[in-house]
Structures are given as C-alpha cells and as structure tokens.
Amino acid sequence: FSLVAMICVTVALTYGVAQTQKVVTLSPPEDYSLADGVATIKFSQISDGHLHRYEYTTSGGVKVRFIVIQKSGSSYGVGLDACEICGPTGYYEKDGKVICKLCEVAMNIATIGFKGGCNPIPIDYKVSNGTLTVPISALEASASIFAK
C-alpha cells in the first residue's frame, strides 16, 4: 500500500508541477479590413461569444493588439490586448472565460470595454451596418503601451 501511495503522490506532484509551468500561447491575430482610417470587422466574424484578437502595425512599426468579444445581444467588449496593471501580456479564453495571461485573473466579460482593474484598456469603436470599426488613430495612439 505504501508503494502504491508513493507512486500516486509522485504522479500527482509531477502533473501539478507540469501544469503550473505550462506557458499559455495567445491565439494568432485574425484578419480584418483596413481602409479610410479604420479597421473594419464584420459581425459574422465576432458574433459567436468568443474572444477575437487582432493586430495592427503602426507607422512606427509597433504591433498593437486589440481584442473583441460579443458580450450579449449586440453589445461588444473592445479593448487593447493589455491592461494598466499587467501591461501588454494579453488575454486568452479558457472554459468560456477571458483570463489575463500574467495574473490569471478571470475577467467579468460584461466589464470588458470599461476602464479599471485588470480589464483590457478600452479603445474607441463604432458599430453600424453589420460591422465594428476601430479608428486607426486610436491604435496609433496606443503604440507606447506595446513598444518594447
């Protein structure tokens, strides 16, 4: 019995250590169209309730990431893939929750798009004619958050 117990404890500890050292990889950025000073994303691309990541390269060569998630109905949470507390480490989706990669805090999806805490930094956007648009000027202005 002692031998079996030691083997079980060893396996459990090995699994636990492996899980705590697992590196979370952010999903790759999705496609969007860029014209007339705005990034345009079709509702059909973001109306599934899941986290969507986008990346814009500024005129200075900085890659600015932003995320979009449908909160409920026609309401969307839009923000930078960074927060004021943890910086540009990003967010990922796990088991229907949006989680900060650095501090592992699960976001209340209803608060994405609002300032404060470990929420994504909000950015300007508009919703109309079946699309969500983000002004390029807002992404350009956010370059310092992602600059290395």
Side-chain angles (χ1 to χ4, degrees):
F1 176 77
S2 295
L3 182 61
V4 171
M6 281 190 346
I7 291 171
C8 289
V9 168
T10 302
V11 168
L13 286 174
T14 302
Y15 177 77
V17 168
Q19 289 301 311
T20 60
Q21 295 179 349
K22 186 188 253 185
V23 176
V24 175
T25 304
L26 297 179
S27 60
E30 299 179 31
D31 293 329
Y32 61 93
S33 61
L34 195 58
D36 300 323
V38 295
T40 302
I41 303 163
K42 296 178 183 176
F43 283 168
S44 59
Q45 190 177 351
I46 55 175
S47 295
D48 59 3
H50 292 287
L51 182 70
H52 298 272
R53 183 179 332 282
Y54 301 92
E55 185 175 86
Y56 168 77
T57 303
T58 66
S59 57
V62 176
K63 293 181 184 295
V64 173
R65 296 185 321 272
F66 62 102
I67 57 174
V68 177
I69 189 166
Q70 183 180 22
K71 297 197 278 189
S72 64
S74 61
S75 176
Y76 292 90
V78 181
L80 296 176
D81 196 18
C83 83
E84 293 174 356
I85 297 171
C86 299
T89 57
Y91 299 89
Y92 64 96
E93 183 178 353
K94 180 180 179 184
D95 300 328
K97 296 180 180 174
V98 176
I99 301 171
C100 173
K101 184 178 174 185
L102 182 66
C103 70
E104 295 291 319
V105 167
M107 304 295 111
N108 176 348
I109 292 176
T111 66
I112 294 175
F114 295 101
K115 194 174 184 171
C118 192
N119 273 336
I121 299 169
I123 55 174
D124 292 334
Y125 72 97
K126 290 184 182 174
V127 172
S128 66
N129 300 324
T131 63
L132 183 144
T133 58
V134 176
I136 297 307
S137 59
L139 298 173
E140 289 280 344
S142 302
S144 63
I145 295 167
F146 293 91
K148 294 179 180 164

